[in-house]
Every structure is written in structure tokens, then in C-alpha cells.
């Protein structure tokens, strides 16, 4: 083993040790989960009032929405209109609870949030779903850049 090779190896090990010790962006940025909690709480409250305008308030003009059926909508107006239809149609009078399961700061102004939802329709049927929200900080407030809703169904028994 040559001295030059050993020197390069030691340099590589030192660089690796330095990189491992660097704090991540998550560690450097405090998580504003209070603001995120407020946004999610406002969503649930607007849903429970059947208020499509309030439900869409934080949705960006260029945001994307994928519903539980996989249909996609683009833009604030389409998101609000779709929820206006939902609140006056099959889910009229429904109530929901939304609980933040996990929120991760990707950058100081971007967060990914997992939300568990339980929605009860007037017939008493319960719908379980999970939201994946991508939020961006705009003028000091979290806004919804992407809203992906996935229905949760019982898995068939595997034999």
C-alpha cells in the first residue's frame, strides 16, 4: 500500500465523517407545526360547516388536487368548485376529523404533511382517508401546493 493511496483514503474518511456530522436541513430549520396544525384545523372546520370557500382559502392558484378516485384538478377555482359540489352532493352534512400524523420540513418554506381523516356522512357511514399535503410558505402563511387524498379500505384477507 503506497503512502499516496493511504493519504487519499484518510482524506475520504475525514470527508465522510464531516458530512455525517453536518446537521440536516430539518435540524437547522425549526418546524412550524403550530401553523400547520392551524391550517389543518381550519380545513376540518370548513368541511364541517360545508364551506367550500373557506375550505379552499389556503389552496394556491396553481395547486393540484387528486381526490380519492384518482381524479385530478388544477388550480384554486377547480378545487373550490369541486368541494362546493361535494358539500352540496353526496357528502352534504358530513363531518370530518383531521389529525396530523407527521409533518416534515423539506426546506424552510416547504413542508410535507401526512393527515389521517375520518369522515362521517349523515347515513352514519364512516370514510377513512389519508391526505398528503405539500405546503409552501407564502407571505408568512402556509399554503397548499398539492392535496392528494387516498381512501383507506380494509385489505382482503390473504390466504
Amino acid at each position: 500500500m503506497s503512502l499516496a493511496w493511504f493519504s487519499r483514503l484518510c482524506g475520504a474518511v475525514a470527508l465522510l465523517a464531516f458530512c455525517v456530522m453536518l446537521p440536516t436541513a430539518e435540524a437547522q430549520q425549526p418546524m412550524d407545526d403550530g401553523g400547520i396544525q392551524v391550517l389543518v384545523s381550519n380545513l376540518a372546520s370548513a368541511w364541517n360547516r360545508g364551506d367550500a370557500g373557506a375550505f379552499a382559502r389556503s389552496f394556491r392558484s396553481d395547486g393540484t388536487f387528486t381526490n380519492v378516485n384518482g381524479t385530478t384538478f388544477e388550480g384554486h377555482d377547480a378545487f373550490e368548485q369541486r368541494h362546493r359540489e361535494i358539500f352540496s352532493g353526496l357528502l352534504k352534512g358530513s363531518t370530518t376529523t383531521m389529525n396530523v400524523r407527521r409533518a416534515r420540513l423539506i426546506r424552510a418554506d416547504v413542508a410535507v404533511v401526512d393527515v389521517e381523516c375520518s369522515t362521517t356522512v349523515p347515513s352514519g357511514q364512516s370514510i377513512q382517508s389519508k391526505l398528503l399535503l405539500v405546503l409552501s410558505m407564502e407571505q408568512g402563511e402556509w399554503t397548499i401546493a398539492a392535496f392528494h387524498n387516498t381512501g383507506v379500505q380494509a385489505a382482503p384477507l390473504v390466504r
Side-chain angles (χ1 to χ4, degrees):
M1 172 170 22
S2 74
L3 187 55
W5 182 86
F6 183 76
S7 178
R8 283 193 301 268
L9 176 64
C10 288
V13 169
L15 178 61
L16 178 62
F18 175 76
C19 290
V20 167
M21 293 171 41
L22 282 176
T24 64
E26 278 186 4
Q28 292 174 357
Q29 301 295 334
M31 186 64 202
D32 176 23
D33 61 349
I36 291 171
Q37 290 286 351
V38 167
L39 183 144
V40 171
S41 177
N42 288 343
L43 285 172
S45 179
W47 182 286
N48 294 336
R49 293 189 316 272
D51 186 342
F55 193 77
R57 184 164 292 128
S58 296
F59 197 83
R60 293 171 48 106
S61 63
D62 62 349
T64 61
F65 167 51
T66 304
N67 71 13
V68 294
N69 298 317
T71 304
T72 58
F73 301 84
E74 293 186 24
H76 179 276
D77 293 342
F79 183 79
E80 183 174 343
Q81 179 57 36
R82 180 61 189 137
H83 286 87
R84 194 171 311 289
E85 294 164 3
I86 289 168
F87 296 151
S88 64
L90 292 174
L91 295 180
K92 182 177 183 174
S94 64
T95 58
T96 194
T97 59
M98 296 183 177
N99 297 303
V100 174
R101 188 181 68 77
R102 181 176 183 213
R104 292 183 302 131
L105 202 58
I106 303 302
R107 295 188 329 218
D109 61 343
V110 177
V112 174
V113 183
D114 294 307
V115 180
E116 294 180 342
C117 302
S118 181
T119 303
T120 303
V121 296
S123 67
Q125 180 182 1
S126 181
I127 302 167
Q128 305 302 314
S129 64
K130 294 185 187 266
L131 303 179
L132 178 64
L133 304 175
V134 178
L135 306 180
S136 62
M137 182 65 72
E138 304 294 332
Q139 301 174 0
E141 292 189 21
W142 288 111
T143 61
I144 303 169
F147 186 115
H148 189 107
N149 194 358
T150 302
V152 177
Q153 299 175 0
L157 294 175
V158 178
R159 298 188 195 272

